[in-house]
Amino acid sequence: MITVQAIPLLSDNYAWLLRDSRSGAVAIVDPGEAAPVAAAIEAGGGRLDAIWLTHHHGDHIAGAEELQARFGAKMVGAKADAHRLPKLDMAVAEGDTVALGDSTANVLETPGHTVGHIAYVFDGGLLAGDTMFSLGCGRLLEGTAADMFASLQKFAKLPPDTLVYCGHEYTESNARFALHATPDNAALQAFAAGVKVKRAAGEATVPSRLADELAANPFLRAPDVATLADLRSRKDKF
Ligand code: ZN
Ligand code: FE
């Protein structure tokens, strides 16, 4: 079983510290900064086996090489983006399996935000990077709306009790747009009210349950590419 700890860093990023409970193996997902991650690793016994990257943006990789040098971790990332990621020890693609001690994660290719974006799925959890956020999705900086639609549909097929670990604490602003775009969704209204309470108390709103995203996230609920494209372009200007 993999347990997950949030490491907040930069202004609103999350790196995710994963620990395989049987073997004690540890991985960090998207270390956009080294110092807060190194502190958490030291506090947990000083072990780092692997660094899992979702995409090439600096706020997800900037601490990776320093952590690798310090702890001797194996760098894992998308084969398609190997030319613009830190030097990979394991270059992965759709359907590949990545081990963490006695646990494993499966790789999904999820283009849209970037062309080489990948997500990692383990028992009970989805490491979504900047493909999907709670109540939102990533900006289409490189891929098309059709790419993003196909990526989100991969997430929609996962077990509904999956916990979604995304790359940013964007939920409160996403909720404002979601309520503007789909004001009649009662599940969204309830979700957004809960988000407001958590943020007022200074708490993280992620991970969220996939079932709740399926009920409330307008981007995940978009029935076709055209609807998703329209939502995304309106959100860009919101
Ligand atoms: Zn990004
Ligand atoms: Fe990001």
Side-chain angles (χ1 to χ4, degrees):
M1 195 187 114
I2 291 177
T3 60
V4 187
Q5 179 189 344
I7 316 282
L9 49 85
L10 302 173
S11 58
D12 51 31
N13 279 76
Y14 289 116
W16 299 103
L17 192 65
L18 312 180
R19 187 172 274 103
D20 173 51
S21 48
R22 188 127 66 118
S23 65
V26 173
I28 187 71
V29 182
D30 285 358
E33 202 179 0
V37 174
I41 290 166
E42 293 292 3
R47 177 172 178 177
L48 182 66
D49 297 81
I51 299 169
W52 296 359
L53 305 173
T54 65
H55 68 295
H56 72 90
H57 288 154
D59 62 313
H60 298 256
I61 67 170
E65 281 168 334
E66 187 180 330
L67 292 167
Q68 181 180 44
R70 178 158 166 189
F71 297 104
K74 193 172 76 172
M75 195 80 73
V76 181
K79 193 175 189 174
D81 265 353
H83 61 287
R84 54 181 180 174
L85 290 169
K87 191 177 173 339
L88 300 178
D89 299 301
M90 186 179 178
V92 297
E94 177 85 18
D96 284 349
T97 299
V98 182
L100 179 65
D102 297 331
S103 297
T104 56
N106 294 315
V107 174
L108 295 178
E109 289 182 349
T110 60
H113 178 63
T114 65
V115 292
H117 198 296
I118 57 174
Y120 301 84
V121 180
F122 59 93
D123 193 15
L126 163 64
L127 297 154
D130 285 1
T131 298
M132 182 167 79
F133 301 115
S134 184
L135 299 180
C137 79
R139 280 178 187 265
L140 301 177
L141 298 178
E142 296 176 8
T144 65
D147 291 334
M148 181 59 86
F149 182 77
S151 296
L152 293 175
Q153 287 309 302
K154 291 181 184 178
F155 293 168
K157 291 190 188 81
L158 298 172
D161 59 350
T162 300
L163 292 176
V164 182
Y165 300 91
C166 61
H168 291 267
E169 180 62 63
Y170 286 163
T171 318
E172 199 166 24
S173 72
N174 285 343
R176 280 195 288 275
F177 174 76
L179 287 166
H180 168 77
T182 57
D184 299 329
N185 183 338
L188 168 61
Q189 292 162 7
F191 193 137
V195 165
K196 214 166 186 177
V197 170
K198 281 186 187 153
R199 291 311 289 159
E203 289 170 20
T205 64
V206 291
S208 57
R209 277 178 68 242
L210 181 60
D212 296 329
E213 298 295 337
L214 287 165
N217 183 330
F219 296 90
L220 188 59
R221 292 171 61 76
D224 50 45
V225 175
T227 305
L228 178 64
D230 177 61
L231 277 170
R232 190 56 262 181
S233 67
R234 284 160 59 202
K235 172 74 162 69
D236 288 347
K237 294 168 212 134
F238 186 69

